[in-house]
C-alpha cells in the first residue's frame, strides 16, 4: 500500500514515558497500516498501550521514535497549532470516559468542534439536529452532561466526534462502561459510520464491535500482534 | 499497618503537589500582602504622625486622619476576605475526595481528622511563609523609599504586627477552612461525589439570554455561575481591594488637590508681601508654622515703626501690574471664648454652649473691601461696615470653642460674633480675622503693618518687583518686598508630602489583589484542566482556552471594579472630603490610575492562563 492510499501509516513506533526514577516503555516497534474506509479494532489487556496508540495517531501525544503519518501528514513533526487544526478537520475522537464539556449542553457539545471550522450558525444547527436524530437524543438537546446517563453521554461523544464529518474516527473503549442494551446502540452507530465509508480505529474488548472490523489487531505489552485482516 | 492522620495527610498533600503548592502559595500571598499592607500603613501612619507633630492645622488633620484610619480598616477587611476566600476554595476542592473516602467506608471522624490535619498543615506553612514574606517585602520596600528621602519610611515598626497577623490569619484560615470540611465529612457520599456538589450545580440553569453569544463568553459565564459561591467570594474580595484602591487613589488625589487649593487660596498666588524687614520676616515665620512647627518669638507687632504710610500704599496700588492691594494689621492678642446659645434638639430648649477658655491668637485686621485671599470657610467672611464680626482659624476654633458659629470671641473686653471658621495655614490656623478699623481701635495703631500685593498673572513679575523695590527704597530703605509664592510652594510641597505615602498604598493593595486573582485563576484552571485539554483535543487552539480563562477573569475583574470603584467614589465624595475640589485634570488623573489598576489586575490573571496554554496537550488532559 502506498502512502497516498493509506489513511494511517504507523511505522516502528516507540513510546516511552520517563519520570523521576521510572521509565516505562508503553509501545514497542508498532507498525500499522490503515486504508481509507477501513474499520480497525485493536484489543488488548488494560495497560497494553491502546489509548496511547490512539492518542499518538490523533496527534494528542508525540512518539518517542518512529513515524505516524495520517492523511500524508507526519504528525510527530508538527506543532500544536497545526495539530489543533488538523484534528478539527480530519479527526473525530471518542474518549474512554466520554469527556463531554460540563459547561455546555448536549447540543452545544455536539456543535463545539464545528465552532472552529467557520461554519455559519444555520449549518451548525442543521448538523446538530441531524446528529441528535442519529443518536436518538433529540429530546435531551438542552440538557447538561451531568444530567445524562453513561450511555447517553457516550452517544453524545460519538455525535460530537462525527460533527465535522471527519474522514477518520478514533474511538477508545466506546462500550467499556455500558450495559449490553446501550452497548448495542453504540455499536449500531459505529456500524452506520462504517457504512458511510469512514476510516475507524477502535480500541475495544467488545466482541460485537470487533466483529465489525476489517482488520483486527491485538496489542500485548506494547507490541501489535496481527489478529486477522 | 494503620495509617496515622498526620502520615496520611502529609502523603496526600505530597501526592497532590500541584494543588498543595497552589493552595499554599495562594494563601501565603494573601497573608504576605496583608501583613505587608498592615506594616506599611502602620509605618506610614507613624511616620506621618511624627511628621505633622505640632504642624498642620487642625482642619487639615481632620481631613487627613479619617483617610488613614479608613485605609487601615479596609486593608484588614480585604485581608480577612482574601484569606477566607482562599481557605474556602482550598477545602472545597477536596469535597469530592472526601466523598470517595466515605464511599470506601471511611468513618466521618476519620475523614474529618485527615482533612483537618491537611488544613492545619497548609494553613500553618502558608501563614508562616506569608508573614515572613510580608515582613521582608515591607522592610525592603521601606528601605528603598527611605533611601529616597521619604521621611515616613525612616521610622521603625514593631515585631508584634506580623506575629499578630500570623496568629490571626492562622486561626482565621482554620475557622473558615473547617466549614467545607465539616460539611463534606457529614454529607452522604453520593452527595459529596455528585457533580452537583463539586461543580457547584444546584439546579438546572436556564441560559436563554446567552444562546447567541460567543462560545468563550458562554463557557466562561456558565463556569462562573456554576461556581457561584467561589465567584461571589472572589468578586467581594476584589471589590474590597478596588474600594481600597479607589479611596486611596481618588480620595487621595481629591483630598490632596482640595487641601492644596485651601492653602493656595489662603496664601494666594502671585502675591507679594510688603512691610518693614522685621515684619516681613515675622510674617514668613507665621506662614512656615504650617510646615515647620511652632516658632516662638517675642515680637511686638504694634511697634509704630512697622506701620505703612498712606502715601506708600497709594503709590503701590498705582504701579502697573498690581491688581490688588490688601492692607493688614497683624497683632497678637489674648482671646476669650464667650458662651453662646443653641437650640437643643433633644431638650427643645435653648441651652448654653462653650466655656470661658482663653488663649493667645494672631489677630489680623483686614480691610474687608480689599481682601485678596479666598479662604475655605465654614460660615461666611466678614461683612463691610460690621466691626463686631470675627472669623477664626480652624485650629483656634477647635482649641477654644465648642460651637464657634454660635459663640462670640472676646478681644480686649470687646465681644465679636464669629461668622465663619476658615482653613488658614497662617500661624497654623491659630488666627482671628477682624475688621481693620476694629483692630486699630483696640490697639491704638493708626495703620496696617503689612501689605499683600496681588499681581496681574500676565505681568512680568521681575519687572513689577523691580518697580516696587525702587518705590520702597525711595520711601524707606528698611522696607522689603517678599515673593509669597516661595511660601506657597513650601506649604504645597508639605501637603503633597503628606499625601504621597498614602498614594503608595493602592500600589501595594493592587499587588495583593493581583496575587489573589492569580491564585483564583490558577486554582480555577487546575479544576478545569482536563476539560480544557478535551477542548484542545477537539480541535481548539491553545489561544481558545486562553480566551475562555481570560473571559472568566475579565468578568470577575470588571464586576469587582464596577462595585469597588463606585463605592470608593461615593465614600470619598460623601464621607471623606467635604466640598471636594474635582477638576477635569483630577478626573482624568483618577481615571488613568484606576484604569491602570484594572489593567494590572487583569494582566496578572493572564499569567497562569498563558502558562497553562503552553502545556503539552496530554498533560492538560490528565487530572493532577
Amino acid at each position: 500500500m502506498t502512502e497516498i492510499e493509506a489513511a494511517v501509516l504507523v511505522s516502528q513506533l516507540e513510546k516511552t514515558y520517563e519520570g523521576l526514577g521510572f521509565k516505562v516503555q508503553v509501545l514497542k516497534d508498532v507498525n500499522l497500516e490503515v486504508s481509507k474506509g477501513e474499520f480497525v479494532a485493536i484489543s488488548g489487556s488494560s495497560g497494553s498501550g491502546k489509548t496511547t496508540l490512539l492518542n499518538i495517531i490523533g496527534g494528542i501525544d508525540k512518539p518517542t521514535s518512529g513515524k505516524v503519518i495520517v492523511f500524508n501528514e507526519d504528525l510527530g513533526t508538527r506543532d500544536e497549532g497545526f495539530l489543533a487544526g488538523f484534528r478539527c478537520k480530519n479527526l473525530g475522537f471518542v474518549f474512554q470516559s466520554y469527556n463531554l464539556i460540563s459547561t455546555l449542553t448536549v447540543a452545544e457539545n455536539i456543535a463545539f468542534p464545528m465552532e472552529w471550522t467557520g461554519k455559519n450558525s444555520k449549518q451548525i444547527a442543521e448538523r446538530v439536529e441531524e446528529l441528535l436524530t442519529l443518536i436518538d437524543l433529540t429530546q435531551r438537546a438542552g440538557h447538561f452532561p451531568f444530567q445524562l446517563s453513561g450511555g447517553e453521554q457516550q452517544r453524545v461523544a460519538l455525535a460530537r466526534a462525527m460533527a465535522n464529518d471527519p474522514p477518520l474516527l478514533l474511538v477508545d473503549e466506546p462500550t467499556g462502561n455500558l450495559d449490553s442494551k446501550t452497548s448495542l446502540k453504540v455499536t449500531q452507530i459505529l456500524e452506520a459510520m462504517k457504512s458511510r465509508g469512514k476510516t475507524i480505529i477502535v480500541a475495544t474488548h467488545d466482541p460485537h464491535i470487533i466483529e465489525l472490523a476489517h482488520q483486527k489487531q491485538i496489542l500485548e505489552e506494547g507490541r501489535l500482534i496481527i489478529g486477522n485482516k | 499497618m494503620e495509617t496515622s492522620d498526620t502520615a496520611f495527610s502529609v502523603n496526600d498533600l505530597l501526592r497532590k503537589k500541584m494543588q498543595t503548592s497552589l493552595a499554599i502559595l495562594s494563601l501565603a500571598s494573601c497573608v504576605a500582602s496583608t501583613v505587608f499592607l498592615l506594616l506599611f500603613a502602620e509605618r506610614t501612619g507613624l511616620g506621618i504622625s511624627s511628621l505633622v507633630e505640632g504642624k498642620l492645622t487642625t482642619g487639615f488633620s481632620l481631613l487627613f486622619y479619617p483617610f488613614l484610619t479608613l485605609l487601615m480598616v479596609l486593608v484588614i477587611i480585604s485581608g480577612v476576605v482574601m484569606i477566607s476566600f482562599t481557605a474556602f476554595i482550598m477545602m472545597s476542592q477536596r469535597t469530592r475526595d472526601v466523598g470517595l473516602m466515605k464511599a470506601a467506608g471511611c468513618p466521618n471522624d476519620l475523614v474529618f481528622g485527615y482533612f483537618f490535619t491537611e488544613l492545619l498543615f497548609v494553613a500553618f506553612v502558608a501563614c508562616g511563609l506569608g508573614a515572613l514574606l510580608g515582613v521582608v517585602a515591607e522592610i525592603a520596600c521601606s528601605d528603598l523609599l527611605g533611601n529616597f528621602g521619604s521621611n515616613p519610611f525612616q521610622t521603625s515598626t514593631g515585631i508584634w504586627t506580623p506575629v499578630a497577623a500570623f496568629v490571626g490569619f492562622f486561626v482565621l484560615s482554620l475557622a473558615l477552612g473547617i466549614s467545607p470540611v465539616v460539611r463534606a465529612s457529614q454529607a452522604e457520599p453520593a452527595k459529596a461525589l455528585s457533580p452537583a456538589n463539586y461543580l457547584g450545580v444546584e439546579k438546572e440553569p436556564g441560559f436563554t439570554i446567552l444562546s447567541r453569544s460567543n462560545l468563550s463568553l458562554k463557557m466562561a459565564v456558565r463556569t462562573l455561575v456554576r461556581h457561584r459561591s467561589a465567584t461571589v467570594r472572589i468578586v467581594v474580595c476584589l471589590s474590597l481591594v478596588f474600594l481600597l484602591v479607589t479611596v486611596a487613589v481618588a480620595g487621595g488625589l481629591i483630598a490632596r488637590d482640595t487641601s492644596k487649593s485651601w492653602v493656595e487660596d489662603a496664601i494666594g498666588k502671585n502675591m507679594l508681601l510688603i512691610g518693614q524687614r522685621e515684619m516681613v520676616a515675622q510674617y514668613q515665620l507665621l506662614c512656615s508654622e504650617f510646615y515647620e512647627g511652632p516658632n516662638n518669638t517675642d515680637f511686638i507687632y504694634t511697634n509704630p515703626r512697622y506701620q505703612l504710610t498712606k502715601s506708600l500704599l497709594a503709590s503701590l496700588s498705582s504701579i502697573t501690574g498690581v491688581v490688588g492691594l490688601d492692607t493688614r494689621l497683624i497683632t497678637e492678642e489674648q482671646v476669650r471664648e464667650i458662651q453662646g446659645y443653641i437650640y437643643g434638639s433633644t431638650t427643645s430648649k435653648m441651652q448654653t454652649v462653650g466655656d470661658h477658655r482663653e488663649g493667645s491668637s494672631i489677630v489680623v485686621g483686614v480691610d474687608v473691601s480689599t481682601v485678596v485671599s479666598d479662604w475655605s470657610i465654614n460660615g461666611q467672611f466678614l461683612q463691610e461696615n460690621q466691626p463686631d464680626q470675627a472669623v477664626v482659624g480652624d485650629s483656634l476654633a477647635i482649641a477654644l470653642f465648642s460651637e464657634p458659629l454660635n459663640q462670640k470671641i472676646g478681644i480686649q473686653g470687646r465681644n465679636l460674633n464669629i461668622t465663619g471658621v476658615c482653613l488658614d495655614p497662617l500661624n497654623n490656623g491659630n488666627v482671628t480675622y477682624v475688621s481693620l478699623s476694629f483692630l486699630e481701635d483696640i490697639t491704638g495703631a493708626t495703620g496696617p503693618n503689612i501689605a499683600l500685593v496681588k499681581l496681574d498673572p500676565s505681568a512680568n513679575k521681575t519687572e513689577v518687583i523691580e518697580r516696587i523695590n525702587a518705590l520702597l527704597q525711595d520711601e524707606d530703605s528698611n522696607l522689603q518686598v517678599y515673593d509669597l509664592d516661595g511660601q506657597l510652594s513650601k506649604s504645597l510641597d508639605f501637603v503633597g508630602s503628606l499625601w504621597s505615602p498614602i498614594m503608595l498604598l493602592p500600589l501595594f493593595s493592587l499587588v495583593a489583589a493581583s496575587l489573589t486573582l492569580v491564585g483564583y485563576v490558577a486554582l480555577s484552571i487546575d479544576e478545569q484542566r482536563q476539560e480544557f485539554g478535551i477542548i484542545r483535543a477537539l480541535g481548539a487552539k491553545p489561544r481558545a482556552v486562553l480566551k475562555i480563562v481570560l473571559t472568566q477573569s475579565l468578568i470577575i475583574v470588571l464586576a469587582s471594579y464596577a462595585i469597588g470603584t463606585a463605592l470608593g467614589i461615593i465614600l470619598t465624595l460623601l464621607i471623606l472630603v467635604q466640598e471636594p475640589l474635582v477638576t477635569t485634570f483630577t478626573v482624568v488623573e483618577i481615571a488613568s490610575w484606576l484604569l491602570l489598576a484594572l489593567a494590572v489586575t487583569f494582566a496578572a490573571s493572564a499569567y497562569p492562563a498563558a502558562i497553562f496554554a503552553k502545556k503539552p496537550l496530554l498533560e492538560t488532559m490528565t487530572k493532577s
Side-chain angles (χ1 to χ4, degrees), chain B residues 178-201:
Chain B
I178 205 168
S179 160
V181 180
V182 171
R183 231 183 4 252
S185 67
Q186 288 173 350
E188 292 164 25
K191 277 190 181 169
L193 285 168
S194 161
N197 200 325
Y198 63 83
L199 284 177
V201 182

Side-chain angles (χ1 to χ4, degrees), chain B residues 178-250:
Chain B
I178 205 168
S179 160
V181 180
V182 171
R183 231 183 4 252
S185 67
Q186 288 173 350
E188 292 164 25
K191 277 190 181 169
L193 285 168
S194 161
N197 200 325
Y198 63 83
L199 284 177
V201 182
E202 283 159 9
K203 56 184 178 184
E204 191 176 331
F207 286 104
T208 49
I209 296 169
L210 289 166
S211 59
R212 282 175 183 274
S213 59
N214 78 49
L215 201 68
S216 303
L217 180 64
K218 193 185 285 185
M219 293 179 74
V221 169
R222 285 181 186 174
T223 305
L224 291 175
V225 172
R226 286 189 169 184
H227 297 91
R228 61 175 76 84
S229 183
T231 305
V232 168
R233 281 165 199 254
I234 184 75
V235 169
V236 169
C237 178
L238 286 180
S239 297
L240 268 168
V241 176
F242 278 122
L243 172 63
L244 177 68
V245 172
T246 309
V247 168
V249 170

Side-chain angles (χ1 to χ4, degrees), chain B residues 126-292:
Chain B
C127 291
L129 185 67
L132 191 69
L133 284 174
V135 172
V136 170
E138 201 273 339
I139 290 172
C141 185
S142 296
D143 274 359
L144 194 69
L145 291 168
N147 287 340
F148 281 111
S150 190
N151 287 336
F153 305 105
Q154 289 165 359
T155 57
S156 59
T157 53
I159 184 90
W160 292 110
T161 304
V163 171
F166 167 74
V167 174
F169 287 134
F170 178 60
V171 172
L172 195 70
S173 307
L174 293 184
L176 296 164
I178 205 168
S179 160
V181 180
V182 171
R183 231 183 4 252
S185 67
Q186 288 173 350
E188 292 164 25
K191 277 190 181 169
L193 285 168
S194 161
N197 200 325
Y198 63 83
L199 284 177
V201 182
E202 283 159 9
K203 56 184 178 184
E204 191 176 331
F207 286 104
T208 49
I209 296 169
L210 289 166
S211 59
R212 282 175 183 274
S213 59
N214 78 49
L215 201 68
S216 303
L217 180 64
K218 193 185 285 185
M219 293 179 74
V221 169
R222 285 181 186 174
T223 305
L224 291 175
V225 172
R226 286 189 169 184
H227 297 91
R228 61 175 76 84
S229 183
T231 305
V232 168
R233 281 165 199 254
I234 184 75
V235 169
V236 169
C237 178
L238 286 180
S239 297
L240 268 168
V241 176
F242 278 122
L243 172 63
L244 177 68
V245 172
T246 309
V247 168
V249 170
L253 286 175
I254 291 173
R256 184 198 65 189
D257 289 354
T258 306
S259 50
K260 277 188 168 181
S261 82
W262 292 343
V263 174
E264 198 171 294
D265 291 345
I267 295 177
K269 209 173 177 182
N270 286 317
M271 299 283 275
L272 301 177
L273 169 68
I274 289 163
Q276 291 292 332
R277 203 167 293 277
E278 298 81 358
M279 190 65 217
V280 167
Q282 182 61 19
Y283 191 85
Q284 285 178 47
L285 284 177
L286 291 175
C287 285
S288 65
E289 286 215 12
F290 180 67
Y291 54 88
E292 279 182 352

Side-chain angles (χ1 to χ4, degrees), chain B residues 407-467:
Chain B
Q407 290 183 262
K408 291 184 178 181
I409 184 168
I411 306 172
Q412 289 201 12
R414 302 268 293 273
N415 294 345
L416 307 178
N417 293 316
I418 299 174
T419 59
V421 176
C422 67
L423 282 159
D424 192 352
L426 190 70
N427 197 33
N428 222 1
N430 182 13
V431 63
T432 309
Y433 287 91
V434 296
S435 75
L436 183 59
S437 57
F438 168 80
L439 198 56
E440 283 174 344
D441 265 5
I442 62 166
T443 57
T446 53
N449 50 13
I450 63 157
L452 297 175
V453 173
K454 187 163 181 61
L455 301 182
D456 181 352
S458 61
N460 185 325
K461 199 174 188 178
T462 318
E463 284 178 10
V464 180
I465 291 175
E466 277 173 11
R467 281 197 286 272

Side-chain angles (χ1 to χ4, degrees), chain A residues 29 49 60 64 78 83 113 116 132 135 141 163 183 193 210-211 228:
Chain A
D29 192 23
I60 288 173
T64 307
R78 294 300 199 151
L83 291 174
W116 319 107
L132 280 170
I135 61 171
S183 295
M193 286 190 266
I210 294 173
E211 197 61 33
N228 60 57

Side-chain angles (χ1 to χ4, degrees), chain B residues 84 124 128 172 330 337 362 378 398 402 417 476 517 554 582 606:
Chain B
S84 128
F124 186 82
L172 195 70
I330 299 180
E337 177 191 26
I362 288 294
N378 179 19
I398 289 164
S402 304
N417 293 316
D476 180 347
L517 189 63
L554 190 64
V582 186

Side-chain angles (χ1 to χ4, degrees), chain A:
Chain A
M1 195 186 298
T2 64
E3 281 193 14
I4 303 296
E5 291 166 330
V8 177
L9 190 62
V10 177
S11 61
Q12 296 176 316
L13 175 67
E14 308 260 344
K15 180 68 187 177
T16 304
Y17 289 110
E18 281 184 73
L20 284 173
F22 74 89
K23 188 173 179 180
V24 183
Q25 191 171 15
V26 182
L27 297 174
K28 298 164 192 168
D29 192 23
V30 172
N31 294 286
L32 176 70
E33 287 180 13
V34 183
S35 310
K36 286 177 182 166
E38 195 174 14
F39 191 124
V40 179
I42 301 170
S43 54
S45 56
S46 290
S48 59
K50 299 187 295 291
T51 301
T52 303
L53 180 57
L54 288 187
N55 282 344
I56 291 174
I57 293 172
I60 288 173
D61 203 353
K62 299 262 183 191
T64 307
S65 65
K67 277 199 166 186
V68 178
I69 295 168
V70 181
F71 299 124
N72 294 331
E73 289 292 349
D74 186 351
L75 301 188
T77 60
R78 294 300 199 151
D79 65 13
E80 183 48 42
F82 174 84
L83 291 174
F86 183 81
R87 278 193 300 269
C88 184
K89 191 177 159 197
N90 297 296
L91 296 180
F93 222 118
V94 180
F95 301 95
Q96 195 169 2
S97 48
Y98 325 134
N99 282 338
L100 299 181
I101 299 163
S102 67
T103 45
L104 299 180
T105 62
V106 165
E108 287 163 349
N109 260 287
I110 296 170
F112 187 82
M114 291 186 271
E115 300 284 351
W116 319 107
T117 59
K119 289 192 175 99
N120 64 38
S121 53
K122 193 183 170 206
Q123 289 172 313
I124 292 175
E126 282 171 2
R127 179 71 176 148
V128 168
E129 206 170 329
E130 183 189 335
L131 290 166
L132 280 170
T133 311
L134 178 73
I135 61 171
D136 198 19
L137 283 176
T138 313
Q139 302 303 313
R140 307 284 252 161
H143 287 194
F144 284 95
F146 74 91
Q147 295 168 312
L148 305 180
S149 69
E152 287 169 332
Q153 287 190 51
Q154 189 63 294
R155 277 145 65 196
V156 176
L158 274 163
R160 183 178 66 183
M162 291 185 283
N164 283 330
D165 201 19
L168 175 61
L169 283 172
L170 301 172
V171 188
D172 194 2
E173 301 277 13
T175 56
N177 301 322
L178 308 178
D179 61 60
S180 56
K181 194 180 162 188
T182 317
S183 295
L184 188 63
K185 274 194 177 173
V186 171
T187 309
Q188 284 167 348
I189 294 169
L190 285 175
E191 197 171 4
M193 286 190 266
K194 178 190 167 188
S195 65
R196 289 181 190 187
K198 301 286 176 201
T199 307
I200 303 170
I201 304 176
V202 188
T204 184
H205 293 107
D206 190 326
H208 296 106
I209 295 177
I210 294 173
E211 197 61 33
L212 295 174
H214 302 117
Q215 189 183 158
K216 301 174 178 82
Q217 299 275 3
I218 298 167
L219 200 55
E220 262 186 22
E221 293 180 353
R223 290 182 196 281
L224 211 51
I225 300 163
I226 296 176
N228 60 57
K229 190 170 180 182

